[in-house]
Amino acid sequence: MIAERKDLARELVKASYLKGDFVLRSGRRSNRYFDKFLFETDPLLLKRLGVQLATLVPKETQRLAAPELGAVLLGGAVSMETGLPLLIVRKEPKGYGTAKQLEGRAEQGDRVTVIEDVVTTGGDSLRSAQVLREAGLDVIGLVVVLDRGEGGEENIRAAGIPYSPLFRIQDLELD
């Protein structure tokens, strides 16, 4: 890991690593947790993460996509760095206005990279990829801040999505 990423890793741990008894979105219990809102709502840390994640976005990407709710701020930071438009993938279509599940403009066949914050089993990332594919978009990658090392990478790769984590939990200096 280059020096800049090591510094960023330390900052990420300091800002958002919590120890205790947590129930993860997957239903699993864990004695450690990375609170994505602690790093996504810190403007300077969010900007630094956006800069680093932008380097992992495949060159052929035409659009970025971020699952609601947590990854939207992160997706915006990467969009600002790359100049690529951002799509928001809702968990459910909204029941008012345009009532869309996929917010933003895209053309059939557009090549999309999904931006994610923390991956455990990969469920939300895979759900987002499915929504994008059903809309006729080509999901060419998933870029993530942190892989918790709990099967997400294997599940995402099994779905045929190239996967690029900025950090893997085993690479971080945790106590």
Side-chain angles (χ1 to χ4, degrees):
M1 205 178 325
I2 61 173
E4 186 175 333
R5 280 208 186 158
K6 277 192 170 200
D7 289 343
L8 184 56
R10 280 192 283 278
E11 192 175 340
L12 178 69
V13 170
K14 181 179 177 186
S16 59
Y17 177 61
L18 305 171
K19 293 187 335 185
D21 183 30
F22 304 98
V23 178
L24 305 176
R25 206 174 347 178
S26 65
R28 295 179 183 182
R29 295 192 86 82
S30 179
N31 62 356
R32 59 188 183 190
Y33 185 72
F34 277 86
D35 190 328
K36 61 189 173 195
F37 295 110
L38 293 175
F39 68 75
E40 287 193 34
T41 56
D42 176 330
L44 297 176
L45 184 52
L46 180 64
K47 167 92 171 138
R48 290 183 66 205
L49 288 167
V51 167
Q52 289 299 314
L53 288 174
T55 67
L56 300 177
V57 173
K59 289 181 173 99
E60 60 273 14
T61 300
Q62 295 172 293
R63 304 230 181 277
L64 301 172
E68 75 164 335
L69 175 67
V72 172
L73 292 172
L74 193 59
V78 178
S79 176
M80 295 290 286
E81 290 303 316
T82 62
L84 293 168
L86 177 66
L87 301 167
I88 297 171
V89 184
R90 296 184 177 278
K91 290 181 179 166
E92 298 292 329
K94 62 184 182 182
Y96 57 90
T98 57
K100 293 180 181 178
Q101 189 166 7
L102 187 59
E103 296 289 340
R105 292 195 172 129
E107 300 291 326
Q108 292 275 324
D110 278 353
R111 295 179 302 276
V112 179
T113 295
V114 178
I115 307 298
E116 210 21 309
D117 41 37
V118 178
V119 168
T120 302
T121 61
D124 278 349
S125 302
L126 293 171
R127 179 194 51 77
S128 294
Q130 180 180 350
V131 169
L132 292 161
R133 287 174 170 164
E134 288 172 358
L137 305 175
D138 183 13
V139 179
I140 63 167
L142 173 66
V143 174
V144 59
V145 172
L146 177 68
D147 183 326
R148 286 184 50 90
E150 297 185 25
E153 181 167 5
E154 294 81 7
N155 293 337
I156 291 161
R157 289 194 191 279
I161 303 170
Y163 183 69
S164 300
L166 187 58
F167 302 113
R168 290 183 170 87
I169 202 163
Q170 68 266 21
D171 299 330
L172 299 178
E173 297 171 10
L174 303 176
D175 49 15

